[in-house]
């Protein structure tokens, strides 16, 4: 897993950084998002490996209060390091992750509704109906940014063929073939996506691939039209 690039602003009170990641030999990359909430409290999504440079960047932005893994596979590998470095931070898990990471003590297990600590600043919902990878989707209200994990990969034509084959398309935002085939209840998933579309997001942080600075709502609607 590669080191994180420098955090860069991506909207009001929101920063992102990119890190290298290979999945079964596929160069997937990954994106970490950091939102600064009221009281300079930092909400860290899909935490990247923590080195001295990243720790200093986070400390310059505020106080790390929550470290969030959006699904049982994505963004959890470095959570223990964040607990050590930021002992007052809470580890926040998607459903299913505590059973996978019994070595960690989680303070919060996420669900359909926002936690009281960030209600009004972040919307959230479960992308329901998936057999094996329940994912929590977030919307950062100040920047109108939808923040995802494996639910959204942004594929570009310039990427290696194996990436495009893995995702099942040559370009555009959407799930991988495996993620798409994992839905057992498309009606429940459709209701989740409709809820997210109701947030009317402008920007999109994909778990893998380049973020979108505009057009997030239309991109998500197109990506999940197979649920109709």
């Amino acid at each position: 897993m590669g080191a994180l690039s420098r955090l860069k602003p991506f909207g009001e009170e929101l920063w992102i950084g990119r890190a290298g990641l290979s999945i079964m030999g596929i160069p997937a990359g990954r994106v970490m998002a950091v939102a600064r909430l009221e009281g300079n409290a930092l909400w860290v999504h899909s935490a990247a490996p923590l080195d001295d440079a990243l720790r200093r960047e986070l400390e310059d932005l505020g106080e790390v209060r929550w470290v969030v893994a959006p699904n049982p596979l994505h963004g959890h590998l470095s959570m223990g390091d964040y607990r050590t470095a930021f002992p007052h931070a809470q580890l926040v898990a998607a459903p299913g992750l505590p059973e996978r990471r019994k070595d960690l003590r989680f303070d919060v297990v996420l669900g359909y509704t926002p936690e009281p600590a960030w209600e009004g600043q972040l919307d959230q919902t479960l992308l329901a109906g998936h057999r094996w990878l329940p994912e929590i989707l977030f919307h950062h209200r100040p920047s109108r940014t939808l923040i995802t994990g494996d639910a959204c990969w942004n594929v570009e034509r310039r990427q290696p063929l194996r990436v495009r084959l893995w995702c099942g398309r040559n370009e555009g935002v959407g799930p991988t073939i495996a993620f798409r085939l994992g839905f057992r209840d498309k009606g429940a998933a459709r209701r989740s996506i409709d809820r997210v579309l109701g947030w009317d997001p402008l920007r999109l942080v994909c778990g893998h691939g380049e973020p979108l600075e505009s057009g997030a709502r239309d991109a998500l609607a197109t990506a999940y039209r197979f649920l109709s």
Side-chain angles (χ1 to χ4, degrees):
M1 188 179 298
L4 186 79
S5 66
R6 183 180 178 86
L7 292 174
K8 296 181 179 180
F10 189 67
E12 182 181 346
E13 298 297 298
L14 185 68
W15 293 261
I16 61 171
R18 299 172 180 85
L21 177 67
S22 178
I23 301 174
M24 295 185 291
I26 298 167
R30 56 173 296 186
V31 180
M32 168 180 167
V34 180
R36 183 163 58 193
L37 306 184
E38 293 176 355
N40 284 336
L42 300 184
W43 180 93
V44 178
H45 182 279
S46 301
L50 185 66
D51 57 19
D52 290 341
L54 176 55
R55 178 173 178 168
R56 287 193 296 269
E57 283 192 86
L58 291 170
E59 290 173 342
D60 287 344
L61 289 177
E63 179 186 0
V64 175
R65 293 279 299 278
W66 304 280
V67 183
V68 181
N71 69 47
L73 296 181
H74 189 97
H76 66 83
L77 294 179
S78 299
M79 294 180 91
D81 294 335
Y82 283 72
R83 164 143 285 166
T84 300
F86 307 106
H88 298 297
Q90 293 189 332
L91 299 189
V92 182
L97 181 56
E99 291 75 19
R100 287 180 54 87
R101 292 296 308 270
K102 294 183 179 180
D103 58 311
L104 294 176
R105 176 181 59 82
F106 291 97
D107 302 283
V108 178
V109 178
L110 296 163
Y112 283 94
T113 57
E115 292 301 306
W118 59 69
E119 188 173 10
Q121 302 173 82
L122 287 161
D123 301 303
Q124 77 183 56
T125 194
L126 173 68
L127 179 52
H130 208 277
R131 291 185 180 89
W132 49 272
L133 200 60
E135 178 163 328
I136 305 295
L137 304 176
F138 296 95
H139 177 242
H140 180 242
R141 289 189 181 183
S143 64
R144 292 183 60 197
T145 301
L146 176 62
I147 303 173
T148 72
D150 292 312
C152 289
W153 289 52
N154 190 9
V155 181
E156 299 175 282
R157 287 185 178 273
R158 63 180 176 83
Q159 290 182 289
L161 176 61
R162 60 187 183 275
V163 174
R164 289 176 280 140
L165 290 174
W166 173 254
C167 292
R169 59 190 178 278
N170 284 319
E171 62 183 351
V173 171
T176 64
I177 293 173
F179 193 97
R180 176 172 174 160
L181 293 176
F183 287 103
R184 69 174 185 273
D185 187 341
K186 289 187 176 181
R190 178 74 258 168
R191 290 189 291 275
S192 296
I193 293 297
D194 287 344
R195 183 178 182 187
V196 175
L197 295 176
W199 298 336
D200 194 23
L202 173 66
R203 299 175 178 87
L204 173 63
V205 173
C206 302
H208 309 278
E210 291 297 308
L212 302 183
E213 296 194 18
S214 63
R217 188 185 187 281
D218 288 345
L220 186 74
T222 299
Y224 281 89
R225 64 188 173 191
F226 68 90
L227 294 173
S228 300

